[in-house]
Amino acid sequence: ALATIVVFGCTGFILLVVWLRDRLRGTHIPSRERRSAFSRSFATASLRQLDIFAGDLSWFENDLQTYIDLVKRGVVVRVLTDTPTATAVATGKGHKILFCQYPDGIASPIRGAVSDANEEAAGRAFIVKRISRRLGSPDRPYDYWVQTYSAKDDLATVQLMRTLFNELYTRGVPL
């Protein structure tokens, strides 16, 4: 009986440590609206350039005004997409937002963004992942997990994401 208590106690402790580690590393976002608000807040702080790793652009028109405001401030906004036929492409291009399809028709390898990666003090990035399907709840089919990086703490990660974006953008198909 004591051995069982020790085993369950140790297992519980390990699970708690893993759960806390993951909670401290990333941020749980419980709705598409909050994920969109996070993305807009991240983008708004961009000074010179914002590069977005996107998929189908289903969210883009909801956040469009943020990107229009950035372009008006002189920020270059570039978007990689795996859905070149999305109506958001024509809409965004009308506001001087740059779009490119991933090379070789590949799907988005990550979802997220890199901001001001050439500037060590201002560089930032984030990766977002859908983490769970909520069955029976069509208005909230997914939760999201977001991991953010700042160049001052994670310079290598921010620069790696910038390098990946630039490589995919250079090899991609301009839209």
Side-chain angles (χ1 to χ4, degrees), residues 13-60:
F13 179 75
I14 290 169
L15 290 173
L16 177 64
V17 168
V18 169
W19 179 80
L20 284 172
R21 182 199 66 197
D22 289 344
R23 297 287 291 182
L24 293 173
R25 282 184 162 171
T27 302
H28 175 251
I29 298 178
S31 70
R32 186 176 186 149
E33 293 77 25
R34 287 187 183 172
R35 185 252 190 254
S36 184
F38 170 85
S39 295
R40 287 191 309 269
S41 176
F42 179 91
T44 299
S46 297
L47 302 172
R48 290 185 178 70
Q49 186 161 331
L50 177 66
D51 295 329
I52 302 169
F53 293 92
D56 65 8
L57 299 170
S58 59
W59 50 270
F60 187 82

Side-chain angles (χ1 to χ4, degrees), residues 148-169:
T148 58
Y149 305 92
S150 71
K152 81 174 194 183
D153 297 323
D154 299 303
L155 181 61
T157 302
V158 173
Q159 288 181 339
L160 181 63
M161 287 181 65
R162 178 197 63 200
T163 300
L164 174 62
F165 186 93
N166 286 338
E167 179 66 22
L168 294 171
Y169 197 86

Side-chain angles (χ1 to χ4, degrees), residues 3 11 13 25 34-35 52 57-58 65 68 73 80 90 117 120 132 135 144 153 163 173-174:
T11 303
F13 179 75
R25 282 184 162 171
R34 287 187 183 172
R35 185 252 190 254
I52 302 169
L57 299 170
S58 59
Q65 190 58 51
I68 291 170
R73 285 189 358 226
L80 278 166
E120 199 167 312
S132 65
L135 298 176
Y144 299 89
D153 297 323
T163 300
V173 178

Side-chain angles (χ1 to χ4, degrees), residues 54-55 81-82 102-111:
T81 182
D82 56 19
Y102 287 98
D104 306 319
I106 65 171
S108 175
I110 62 173
R111 305 283 168 93

Side-chain angles (χ1 to χ4, degrees), residues 30-33 130-144:
S31 70
R32 186 176 186 149
E33 293 77 25
R130 288 187 279 193
I131 58 171
S132 65
R133 180 171 278 290
R134 296 198 178 258
L135 298 176
S137 179
D139 58 322
R140 281 188 57 196
Y142 297 103
D143 283 354
Y144 299 89

Side-chain angles (χ1 to χ4, degrees), residues 82-108:
D82 56 19
T83 310
T85 58
T87 58
V89 173
T91 303
K93 285 174 63 174
H95 295 284
K96 300 182 182 175
I97 297 167
L98 306 172
F99 289 86
C100 196
Q101 180 181 3
Y102 287 98
D104 306 319
I106 65 171
S108 175

